[in-house]
Amino acid sequence: MNLGARMFGVSLYVLVLAFFCIIVGKISNKKLKTVLMVYAIILSIMGFFFVPSMDNDLYRTFEIMEYYSNMPFETIIRDYVSMSNAPFALFYYWIIGQFGVNSLLPFITALIFYINIFYIFSDYANKQNISGRALSLGLLIIMCNSSFIEVISGIRTMLSFSIVLRCIYNEVYNNKFIIRDVFWYVIASLIHPASLVLVIFRLIFTFFQRSKSKNRKWVLVVLSIALFTLLINYGGRFIEAMADKANVYIYGDMYSYIWGFIITFLILVALVIIQNKSASFNNANDEERISLKNNRTFSRIIEATMIAFIFEYSIFSRYGNFNLLLNIPIILYYSDLLFKKGDRGHKVVYLYFLGVLFLTCVRGDLSALKFWGGL
């Protein structure tokens, strides 16, 4: 069990989170990006010193990385990339494996992941001048579950999710054309098939996406149709692999964990309430209101998928992690609205997510966090 090591690991995570929740509540928005970068580095260092158990995903991933990193690069290209449903992940493992330090894998993964996530957090906060107290609450909400363990242990899923999340944010909130993110969508899809599902959802969502300009709307639709056509013509192998993986999860005897399900369900319910409480985003300007509504609509697609596969833990929990982070702007908007109202609503939200954090530490996957002890 290594109870002492786990208690220390979880306690350190909570203390670091509490420290940064306090800090972001006191600083100016101009300093937020720097502070969150420091937080990302600290989380990455924690990932570096994480000691996985034998039943942990990272333990098996270390073995896979060592296996591929000992091969000549030409062999990887010739014999494995053409057969893999996640070829970029092999490159990723091979490159990091050349340093001969296994712990660099969770370190680098966590750093990339949190740079992407905190970019979304800080960019929206700066543009909308979100209050410090709302930032503090928002940071608690997005860090209250076991996603940290998923980042430093599962590696591929959360890494690819963070890339998709940053692309979607830039397109929805910063008016970036989807064509400029094609490269990153391809990379994410070649890291893990779960991200290919999200890319397909993103293309479909274009038909429902609101826009102030009808011309821009039609350009997006045409681009999405063209990209979807290219995906079908040239990505058939990966679509088939995605479907096969889904069949394994749905019909196979896969891992399930009741407490992880409860935590994910509690967060899902809270997010739906937050989205509904935000109503029509009346406090936002016209452009931000359109972006927030688009964000909510896309989130509804993910939430519908989660409910449809509520019986399959891996699908439910993974897309639950994605959905939580997808809602960062809405969470910040709602948190800011709570403090502007001046009532006690923010206290209820604080207590709710502190309760979720407690469950995560005691019974969630985060309880596996340790920095010493046997495998």
Side-chain angles (χ1 to χ4, degrees):
M1 282 289 291
N2 297 298
L3 184 60
R6 290 175 180 238
M7 288 180 64
F8 176 85
V10 169
S11 299
L12 180 63
Y13 177 86
V14 172
L15 287 173
V16 171
L17 173 58
F19 174 79
F20 279 96
C21 283
I22 293 170
I23 292 297
V24 300
K26 296 181 179 297
I27 61 171
S28 66
N29 281 4
K30 292 181 179 179
K31 296 179 180 178
L32 180 62
K33 185 177 180 180
T34 302
V35 170
L36 290 178
M37 176 57 74
V38 173
Y39 188 22
I41 292 171
I42 292 174
L43 289 168
S44 301
I45 293 171
M46 291 169 64
F48 182 89
F49 288 105
F50 172 54
V51 176
S53 302
M54 289 186 69
D55 60 348
N56 191 276
D57 287 341
L58 185 60
Y59 183 84
R60 294 185 291 274
T61 303
F62 280 161
E63 294 180 334
I64 293 170
M65 185 173 70
E66 289 173 2
Y67 174 76
Y68 286 120
S69 63
N70 288 324
M71 293 181 180
F73 188 69
E74 296 78 7
T75 303
I76 294 289
I77 297 294
R78 185 184 66 246
D79 297 339
Y80 291 94
V81 167
S82 61
M83 301 295 293
S84 175
N85 63 4
F88 193 83
L90 299 187
F91 289 132
Y92 188 65
Y93 291 155
W94 188 88
I95 292 169
I96 296 176
Q98 299 312 299
F99 293 95
V101 181
N102 284 346
S103 294
L104 282 176
L105 181 62
F107 174 86
I108 294 172
T109 301
L111 190 60
I112 296 172
F113 177 87
Y114 285 108
I115 284 175
N116 286 332
I117 298 309
F118 290 156
Y119 162 79
I120 297 170
F121 193 98
S122 61
D123 187 75
Y124 184 81
N126 280 314
K127 288 181 176 177
Q128 305 306 327
N129 197 28
I130 304 297
S131 69
R133 291 187 299 174
L135 293 176
S136 179
L137 177 56
L139 189 60
L140 168 65
I141 292 173
I142 70 169
M143 299 296 290
C144 73
N145 68 350
S146 294
S147 58
F148 176 63
I149 286 292
E150 292 298 317
V151 172
I152 64 173
S153 178
I155 303 294
R156 294 190 302 143
T157 307
M158 297 300 282
L159 176 63
S160 63
F161 279 5
S162 75
I163 296 171
V164 174
L165 283 162
R166 183 162 179 167
C167 290
I168 290 174
Y169 174 80
N170 277 327
E171 291 155 16
V172 172
Y173 288 90
N174 292 333
N175 294 317
K176 188 175 180 181
F177 268 112
I178 191 172
I179 195 69
R180 296 178 61 184
D181 285 327
V182 168
F183 173 79
W184 294 112
Y185 281 131
V186 170
I187 292 296
S189 300
L190 298 182
I191 292 175
H192 199 287
S195 285
L196 180 55
V197 177
L198 298 172
V199 172
I200 292 173
F201 284 168
R202 175 66 188 100
L203 295 175
I204 295 173
F205 171 67
T206 304
F207 292 89
F208 307 97
Q209 188 171 341
R210 297 176 177 87
S211 178
K212 292 179 68 175
S213 168
K214 288 186 178 180
N215 290 335
R216 182 182 176 87
K217 166 77 173 181
W218 283 111
V219 169
L220 287 172
V221 169
V222 171
L223 282 174
S224 293
I225 292 173
L227 291 172
F228 196 74
T229 302
L230 288 172
L231 176 61
I232 293 174
N233 288 335
Y234 297 100
R237 174 164 68 92
F238 300 105
I239 295 175
E240 185 178 347
M242 176 192 73
D244 289 342
K245 192 70 173 178
N247 282 330
V248 170
Y249 282 131
I250 296 169
Y251 300 109
D253 185 18
M254 300 300 290
Y255 171 78
S256 182
Y257 184 51
I258 184 61
W259 285 104
F261 173 85
I262 291 172
I263 291 166
T264 302
F265 185 78
L266 288 173
I267 294 173
L268 173 62
V269 170
L271 289 176
V272 171
I273 293 173
I274 287 172
Q275 291 165 353
N276 290 338
K277 288 282 187 180
S278 299
S280 56
F281 303 106
N282 289 330
N283 284 44
N285 59 48
D286 289 343
E287 187 173 350
E288 183 194 4
R289 188 180 302 116
I290 291 173
S291 298
L292 287 166
K293 286 183 176 180
N294 281 330
N295 194 156
R296 182 171 60 188
T297 302
F298 193 83
S299 180
R300 293 291 194 230
I301 296 174
I302 305 302
E303 289 159 0
T305 303
M306 291 174 65
I307 296 302
F309 294 97
I310 196 169
F311 59 89
E312 208 301 299
Y313 174 71
S314 292
I315 295 175
F316 183 72
S317 63
R318 286 179 176 181
Y319 289 116
N321 283 329
F322 179 87
N323 191 51
L324 173 60
L325 299 170
L326 176 67
N327 279 279
I328 286 175
I330 295 176
I331 290 168
L332 291 178
Y333 172 88
Y334 177 70
S335 299
D336 200 44
L337 196 63
L338 282 177
F339 287 104
K340 285 178 179 177
K341 285 182 177 179
D343 58 22
R344 296 182 178 180
H346 66 276
K347 294 183 179 180
V348 175
V349 178
Y350 258 120
L351 288 174
Y352 186 91
F353 284 100
L354 283 172
V356 173
L357 178 62
F358 176 78
L359 276 179
T360 300
C361 293
V362 175
R363 302 300 300 178
D365 290 339
L366 187 64
S367 62
L369 182 61
K370 60 185 176 71
F371 306 112
W372 71 82
L375 299 176

